[in-house]
Amino acid sequence: MLTVHHLNNSRSQRVLWLLEELGVPYEIVRYQRQPDMRAPKELRAIHPLGKSPVITDNGNTIAESGAICEYLIDTYGNGRLIPSAKTPERLRYTYWLHYAEGSAMSPLLLKLLFTLMPKRAPALLRPLVRKVSNQALTTLVNPQLKQHMDYWEGELAKSEWFAGSDFTGADIQMSFPLEAAAARGGLEQGHPKAMAFLERIHARPAYARALEKGGPYVIGR
């Protein structure tokens, strides 16, 4: 049976959601983050990088959210959650599927890093680290993040979903950047289309079922 190696509060929640949308049977092997928020070393027995999400299916071990999404939709989708080939929607689908991790997550990860650094610095160095972090956030990270959030807002003004009028796997991929931006990036300020997107995905029955099976998901709710 297809197995999802699921790390709590991670991108693997999207994999559970995708499987629920497709109606594919699966089992979950659970892993808990360590106190430093890193994945436990047991995940390295599944994939050398020891990160989540990872799935195993029919002798294949597949990592990376985009690759997993492509594999599951190609293998089990039967034409669902993907636009028809050689259409503008298919091109948009492919773009957003890879943009989600390739471009969107970079400023969000930097935002998290520079926010955490002062809290974890030694007490004597904390004022200096806070000053450097705040400077990086103000001059580099926050402007980039706003540019991305404005971009999402503009694209969602053109169509209800990222690839067009139909819900696709690209929307599942894009859920994590938008949820992270809502949690720590100020998405709610001036981005009503993006916030409405989050309301729509959170209302989907498959999303709710994935939450029930995956456990608490702080980023998404």
Side-chain angles (χ1 to χ4, degrees):
M1 178 179 284
L2 190 155
T3 300
V4 180
H5 297 272
H6 176 62
L7 181 67
N8 65 308
N9 282 335
S10 77
R11 293 164 172 83
S12 63
Q13 187 64 38
R14 286 183 299 194
V15 177
L16 303 183
W17 176 21
L18 175 56
L19 288 167
E20 290 295 330
E21 292 281 358
L22 293 173
V24 177
Y26 62 95
E27 63 180 6
I28 301 175
V29 177
R30 301 178 188 277
Y31 303 84
Q32 290 295 313
R33 291 185 182 275
Q34 300 177 104
D36 61 5
M37 296 305 294
R38 289 186 295 179
K41 62 182 180 180
E42 286 79 8
L43 265 172
R44 293 180 188 169
I46 309 302
H47 189 277
L49 293 181
K51 295 184 178 181
S52 180
V54 179
I55 66 169
T56 51
D57 185 41
N58 293 322
N60 300 307
T61 299
I62 306 162
E64 295 294 338
S65 300
I68 291 170
C69 187
E70 288 193 65
Y71 172 82
L72 292 176
I73 290 175
D74 288 347
T75 305
Y76 299 105
N78 296 317
R80 293 172 294 166
L81 300 183
I82 184 171
S84 299
K86 299 181 180 179
T87 62
E89 291 78 12
R90 181 63 165 267
L91 184 59
R92 290 182 66 184
Y93 164 88
T94 302
Y95 170 76
W96 291 111
L97 198 67
H98 296 281
Y99 163 90
E101 292 293 331
S103 295
M105 285 306 299
S106 296
L108 286 161
L109 289 172
L110 287 172
K111 176 88 170 179
L112 178 62
L113 174 65
F114 284 115
T115 301
L116 290 177
M117 279 175 59
K119 300 175 183 178
R120 298 187 177 184
L124 290 176
L125 295 178
R126 200 165 295 154
L128 177 60
V129 174
R130 182 178 293 109
K131 182 177 180 180
V132 172
S133 296
N134 288 342
Q135 181 70 12
L137 287 168
T138 301
T139 61
L140 175 65
V141 179
N142 290 340
Q144 284 191 24
L145 183 53
K146 184 179 185 305
Q147 185 178 23
H148 282 275
M149 293 190 296
D150 291 347
Y151 177 43
W152 307 337
E153 186 71 13
E155 292 300 304
L156 288 170
K158 299 176 184 177
S159 59
E160 184 177 13
W161 302 106
F162 276 100
S165 59
D166 295 327
F167 175 81
T168 70
D171 299 297
I172 295 176
Q173 270 291 89
M174 283 298 297
S175 66
F176 194 88
L178 267 74
E179 288 179 330
R184 58 177 179 262
L187 184 67
E188 73 283 357
Q189 299 173 11
H191 303 97
K193 298 290 185 183
M195 294 301 293
F197 169 86
L198 290 178
E199 290 180 6
R200 288 195 299 276
I201 66 172
H202 293 164
R204 294 183 71 85
Y207 185 98
R209 292 196 301 271
L211 277 182
E212 291 175 4
K213 294 183 179 180
Y217 178 48
V218 175
I219 295 174
R221 305 299 287 185

